[in-house]
Every structure is written in structure tokens, then in C-alpha cells.
Amino acid sequence: MFAKLTQIIGREGGDLGAVDIVNPDAKRMTRDITVRARDHEHMEAIVQAIRKLEEVTVVNISDQVFLLHLGGKISIQNKVPLTTRDALSMAYHTWRGAGVFRHC
């Protein structure tokens, strides 16, 4: 059955990536299969072709690029802990004599 599945993916122009066995069973095998598609419409065409196989059940579909963007891709981390108002003030200013601040 896996061979039929990969043939369909290839015939539809999908790029087969990682294949992980999630749940081996005596009667059925659950696999996590990564397939690259050109765009969302291409992905839908591949999935529809796979769903035509009676012996195959598509459990879940996820877009890895979309999942990467969930929660953001870039984070900012302080070099110095800013736990007080004074520490925050020191982070943004450098002391330059009696009561005079200079922006960094």
C-alpha cells in the first residue's frame, strides 16, 4: 500500500520527504509523511488523490511553513535582566555627570 501511496504523490508532482512510522500495528501502519507541494492548491490536489485510495486514511494535514510562523519566528531577549524601573532606566541611558543622561 505504501508503494501505491508514493506513486500517487509522485504522479501528482509532490516531493516525498521524511517518512516516520508513528504506530506499527499487526493490521495497519500509521505513518507521518512529509510531502512538499508548490502551493496550497497543489497540496489539496495531492491530498484529494491520496484520499481516493480506499485502504488509506488521511488523519491530519499540516502546513509546515504555517506552523513555523505560529507564535512568531523571531524573539528578542535582554542581555541584562530588567527587573526594576532603575534597571530599565540604566539600560536606555548612560550616566554622564551630575543629573545629565546621554542616549546610547
Side-chain angles (χ1 to χ4, degrees):
M1 182 47 51
F2 183 68
K4 287 182 184 179
L5 179 66
T6 59
Q7 285 176 344
I8 289 174
I9 292 168
R11 187 175 62 234
E12 292 295 322
D15 184 14
L16 184 63
V19 178
D20 298 307
I21 296 174
V22 177
N23 187 19
D25 186 298
K27 294 184 180 180
R28 59 176 64 136
M29 176 86 61
T30 303
R31 291 183 172 102
D32 183 10
I33 302 173
T34 301
V35 178
R36 292 189 183 173
R38 291 183 300 272
D39 52 29
H40 184 74
E41 290 77 23
H42 186 215
M43 178 194 67
E44 287 294 331
I46 295 168
V47 171
Q48 290 305 319
I50 292 170
R51 284 191 168 139
K52 290 179 182 176
L53 287 172
E54 292 180 18
E55 302 90 349
V56 173
T57 302
V58 177
V59 176
N60 187 36
I61 302 166
S62 58
D63 183 333
Q64 288 183 331
V65 174
F66 177 76
L67 292 175
L68 176 68
H69 286 79
L70 287 176
K73 297 184 297 184
I74 300 172
S75 68
I76 298 172
Q77 183 176 4
N78 297 333
K79 291 181 180 179
V80 178
L82 302 176
T83 57
T84 65
R85 186 180 297 259
D86 189 45
L88 180 61
S89 178
M90 293 294 286
Y92 284 100
H93 298 93
T94 302
W95 181 255
R96 291 269 296 177
V100 178
F101 285 95
R102 170 175 66 91
H103 288 296
C104 298

